[in-house]
Amino acid sequence: MKPLAAAVRASVVFVGLLWSAPGLAAPTALEFADTRAGQSLDGDWHVIVDPYDNGLLDYRNQPRRNGYFRDAPPKDETDLVEYDFARSPTLKVPGDWNTQRPELLYYEGTVWYERRFDAPKAPATGRQFVQFGAAAQRATVWLNGRQLGAHEGGFTPFAFEVTGQLRPRGNSLVVMVNNTRRVNALPATNTDWWNYGGLTRGVRLVETPAVFIRNARLQCAKGDPRHLTAVIALDGARAPATVVVQIPELGERVSFQTDAAGHGTSTFEAAPTLWSPEAPRLYEVTISSGEDAVRDRIGFRTIEALGTEIRLNGKSIFLRGIALHEEALGRGGRATSRADAEALLGLAKELGCNFVRLAHYPHNEEMTRAADRMGLLVWSEIPVYWTIAWTDAGTLADARAQLAEEIARDGNRASVILWSVGNETPVSDARTRFLRTLVADARAADPTRLVTAALEHHPAGPDAERIDDPLGAELDVLGLNEYVGWYDGLPQKCDTLTWSAAYDKPIVVSELGAGAKAGLHGGALTRFSEEYQADLYRRQLAMLRKVPAVRGMSPWILVDFRSPRRPLPGVQGGWNRKGLVSNDGRKKQAFRVLRDAYRNLGNPGRVPKPSRDGLR
Ligand code: GCU
């Protein structure tokens, strides 16, 4: 294995904290980073596009002594230095590089990012960290020419401690970002979305006291809306410490002791107004210990699967959903901001949704926080997508690390109800073993939520399909991707097709759909016409109404999105056209079909009773 790859893998392995299953790499990111003292390093960063990794490797493919990470301009006129960040072009952070410069649209490889910043004198006993919201798909980081570490995975946060390493002025932060697709990476080499590269989420210098609250989870105990459980991990503790949890609006003030390692938990009675899509009630919460105090806005709810029902706050619910990629509406490229999130989720609300599937990787935190505020339940997923290197130990470690990082980041988001460990992964023993490990990790790291995956299904006789994927036995909710009427026959096939499952569990139809070019019209059998897509939705909805165990759906997809697998000239042109809305915001006929169907489900409070005829 190449030294760089080895370095990248090695750096994700840290001593396990409470936040991850035993023996699992512990996430490095700090929770509450955005509300802590510090400074944003977002903005224009100088960049060098480096397709040959010239900034790192010499002609022997060995790490250079004076590579770009040194960020050292020539000492004098005789000094040969063949790069200069200060005179190099810039790219915006956060943001992907593909949509910022036309010549980078298809670029896969390395881009070096450099940012100079002054660091005001930090309190003598304090600590400093550099935190990245995400870097796609992997990053190695240097501060003032010294390597801090590396991170694999393009959709989760990570941080490095830089205490004592900062200069008052002119600190050099250099990040080697690489988005080369690899067979043993996650995702692997074959996906149906654009391989955006870059510092796609914010960068921040974060200050903390010597002992600080690294992670804090406050949620309802599983199935028990009358008790809240606080789980705390302090960083830097050398002795038991007192932690105080306050929820002023509930008049709650609870204090408890951690153990000497700074880990502590407390369960206490409380009577919050429970969070739901109709009433997304969030509470101001303050958690303090010693010199440290953090704040968050948290909603409290319970989520369970019982038989074929999904129960939110003890009541059966139907998930009226839609799937979406993390692409900014109109502008295209990675969505990054609060406004981007609200624009996308606003469309989902307009569709009558109470649920969204954020596919196929953890979206940025603005998205899950907006879902908390706007009242949308969330399916969140790590990019274990299609075929990956199931027997590669490094790939499994990456998957486990990305899952732990996702759960640590969004563990307090009431909106997030489902952790998905995979999408359309072909059944094999090695695959099922791999995914079983992730299911166990998710349960260990977060016993309060449901675990799912988008499963395979197989013909079970003429006009019959069955979900009998062996992984179904491990899951709380069965995800079903089916394209009856698009990849599988014509829409009429829906009229007679029946569905069954080998497990008495709720089914969420995590994908269904058809392509349509906005404004392209024709008969109901004209591929890519709006009429075809609308007709398919009508027939799909009628088919699924007959399946009692179908307790939710997230049709594919809210908005057309970029994909290098979609070249059809004049129709796709590099876009997957299964959106109900075009990438420039035009609603297709099927948008109204689904909206009306969701509206017919009656007022948001109406819950279809699981009965012989299922979705009524
Ligand atoms: C798959 C896959 C999606 C893809 C979709 C499609 O089911 O999960 O990522 O975009 O099908 O073919 O449009």
Side-chain angles (χ1 to χ4, degrees):
M1 188 183 292
K2 278 203 299 188
L4 176 63
V8 165
R9 288 199 197 295
S11 71
V12 297
V13 177
F14 288 74
V15 182
L17 281 173
L18 196 63
W19 303 103
S20 51
L24 180 66
T28 60
L30 283 62
E31 256 184 276
F32 318 106
D34 292 346
T35 56
R36 285 189 176 284
Q39 60 174 288
S40 166
L41 297 175
D42 293 352
D44 293 329
W45 288 53
H46 288 284
V47 294
I48 299 175
V49 178
D50 185 13
Y52 296 4
D53 289 339
N54 179 54
L56 184 77
L57 304 176
D58 63 19
Y59 72 100
R60 297 159 304 155
N61 274 345
Q62 294 308 309
R64 278 179 186 284
R65 221 170 20 75
N66 62 349
Y68 298 172
F69 51 84
R70 290 253 176 272
D71 195 6
K75 291 189 209 47
D76 58 42
E77 63 180 356
T78 68
D79 194 8
L80 173 59
V81 176
E82 296 180 286
Y83 71 92
D84 183 352
F85 280 112
R87 285 186 287 148
S88 299
T90 62
L91 285 175
K92 291 235 170 305
V93 171
D96 60 273
W97 61 60
N98 311 72
T99 55
Q100 290 193 57
R101 299 221 316 250
E103 70 275 21
L104 295 178
L105 182 60
Y106 284 87
Y107 179 67
E108 282 196 10
T110 290
V111 172
W112 292 82
Y113 284 75
E114 182 256 17
R115 179 80 158 71
R116 295 236 166 207
F117 64 97
D118 301 340
K121 190 122 194 47
T125 57
R127 297 164 68 185
Q128 290 88 36
F129 296 79
V130 174
Q131 173 132 328
F132 296 82
Q137 297 297 336
R138 59 193 63 82
T140 306
V141 182
W142 289 263
L143 176 68
N144 299 329
R146 190 174 158 282
Q147 183 173 325
L148 295 176
H151 182 265
E152 176 75 21
F155 306 101
T156 45
F158 57 99
F160 302 105
E161 179 154 11
V162 294
T163 306
Q165 298 177 48
L166 292 169
R167 303 174 190 145
R169 304 188 61 73
N171 290 284
S172 151
L173 187 60
V174 172
V175 189
M176 178 187 181
V177 182
N178 177 283
N179 74 336
T180 305
R181 285 167 298 122
R182 296 189 176 142
V183 286
N184 61 355
L186 294 172
T189 51
N190 188 9
T191 74
D192 190 28
W193 70 82
W194 209 264
N195 180 23
Y196 292 112
L199 292 177
T200 50
R201 297 176 191 166
V203 185
R204 189 174 170 72
L205 180 67
V206 183
E207 289 170 13
T208 71
V211 179
F212 69 92
I213 299 163
R214 176 176 274 279
N215 298 104
R217 182 88 49 75
L218 184 63
Q219 287 284 296
C220 288
K222 185 131 184 154
D224 175 1
R226 289 285 153 259
H227 287 87
L228 300 182
T229 296
V231 185
I232 306 291
L234 301 179
D235 190 310
R238 303 233 177 309
T242 303
V243 172
V244 178
V245 175
Q246 292 177 76
I247 316 174
E249 294 149 287
L250 289 176
E252 288 294 343
R253 186 183 188 289
V254 174
S255 93
F256 56 95
Q257 286 293 100
T258 70
D259 61 18
H263 298 159
T265 178
S266 169
T267 295
F268 55 96
E269 203 157 340
T273 303
L274 296 178
W275 184 98
S276 70
E278 296 77 34
R281 181 77 164 81
L282 300 175
Y283 287 88
E284 188 73 36
V285 174
T286 303
I287 299 170
S288 52
S289 181
E291 288 173 58
D292 199 20
V294 292
R295 277 174 306 103
D296 202 351
R297 290 183 57 71
I298 301 178
F300 304 109
R301 52 101 192 93
T302 65
I303 189 75
E304 300 158 277
L306 286 172
T308 59
E309 284 190 353
I310 297 175
R311 292 199 179 173
L312 176 71
N313 300 330
K315 289 207 303 299
S316 179
I317 187 171
F318 185 87
L319 303 178
R320 304 187 310 274
I322 193 76
L324 61 146
H325 267 294
E326 186 197 46
E327 270 190 0
L329 195 58
R331 185 182 80 235
R334 281 280 171 239
T336 56
S337 66
R338 179 174 174 139
D340 290 340
E342 290 177 351
L344 289 164
L345 299 186
L347 263 183
K349 292 289 280 186
E350 199 185 325
L351 198 50
C353 293
N354 61 5
F355 171 62
V356 286
R357 177 186 179 201
L358 303 182
H360 291 292
Y361 37 79
H363 287 208
N364 66 70
E365 203 173 339
E366 290 290 355
M367 202 72 94
T368 48
R369 286 187 177 275
D372 264 16
R373 291 190 306 273
M374 297 165 76
L376 283 162
L377 296 157
V378 168
W379 161 311
S380 186
E381 185 163 283
I382 53 172
V384 175
Y385 180 91
W386 288 350
T387 300
I388 65 159
W390 301 114
T391 56
D392 183 311
T395 306
L396 179 59
D398 282 347
R400 298 182 76 184
Q402 293 191 37
L403 180 65
E405 290 169 353
E406 174 194 34
I407 296 177
R409 191 196 76 182
D410 287 348
N412 281 326
R413 304 282 71 79
S415 55
V416 180
I417 56 167
L418 286 157
W419 302 120
S420 168
V421 296
N423 178 73
E424 282 186 11
T425 50
V427 173
S428 74
D429 292 351
R431 165 264 195 187
T432 304
R433 255 195 318 279
F434 187 109
L435 295 176
R436 243 194 230 117
T437 305
L438 297 178
V439 172
D441 283 356
R443 292 199 199 294
D446 179 8
T448 69
R449 289 183 174 81
L450 305 174
V451 182
T452 189
L455 299 175
E456 284 211 339
H457 54 90
H458 304 100
D463 281 338
E465 281 286 319
R466 186 168 174 76
I467 304 172
D468 51 7
D469 186 322
L471 185 69
E474 317 290 334
L475 304 176
D476 301 304
V477 170
L478 310 175
L480 167 64
N481 288 7
E482 52 88 1
Y483 281 93
V484 179
W486 184 252
Y487 295 127
D488 173 7
L490 293 171
Q492 285 70 4
K493 182 168 179 178
C494 296
D495 305 348
T496 53
L497 193 66
T498 61
W499 289 88
S500 65
Y503 314 99
D504 184 33
K505 296 182 178 182
I507 298 170
V508 169
V509 181
S510 34
E511 288 184 37
L512 65 91
K517 175 103 170 39
L520 179 65
H521 294 289
L525 287 175
T526 308
R527 294 269 179 179
F528 291 105
S529 70
E530 291 196 32
E531 287 73 15
Y532 188 114
Q533 189 187 45
D535 179 59
L536 176 125
Y537 268 75
R538 285 189 202 92
R539 292 174 192 269
Q540 276 273 355
L541 290 162
M543 172 181 74
L544 297 172
R545 275 194 191 93
K546 291 177 251 163
V547 188
V550 169
R551 307 308 306 158
M553 59 174 65
S554 53
W556 194 259
I557 186 165
L558 181 62
V559 183
D560 293 353
F561 61 95
R562 275 187 196 282
S563 167
R565 302 176 82 250
R566 310 293 167 172
L568 187 61
V571 175
Q572 296 173 320
W575 296 83
N576 183 312
R577 295 289 183 200
K578 294 194 180 69
L580 297 179
V581 180
S582 66
N583 50 296
D584 56 5
R586 285 174 292 153
K587 295 187 179 73
K588 305 174 192 176
Q589 289 177 15
F591 183 97
R592 278 174 281 283
V593 172
L594 188 61
R595 185 198 57 202
D596 297 350
Y598 282 168
R599 279 204 184 134
N600 290 344
L601 271 177
N603 67 46
R606 175 164 177 270
V607 176
K609 295 272 164 294
S611 66
R612 285 260 28 86
D613 61 0
L615 169 64
R616 270 187 291 129

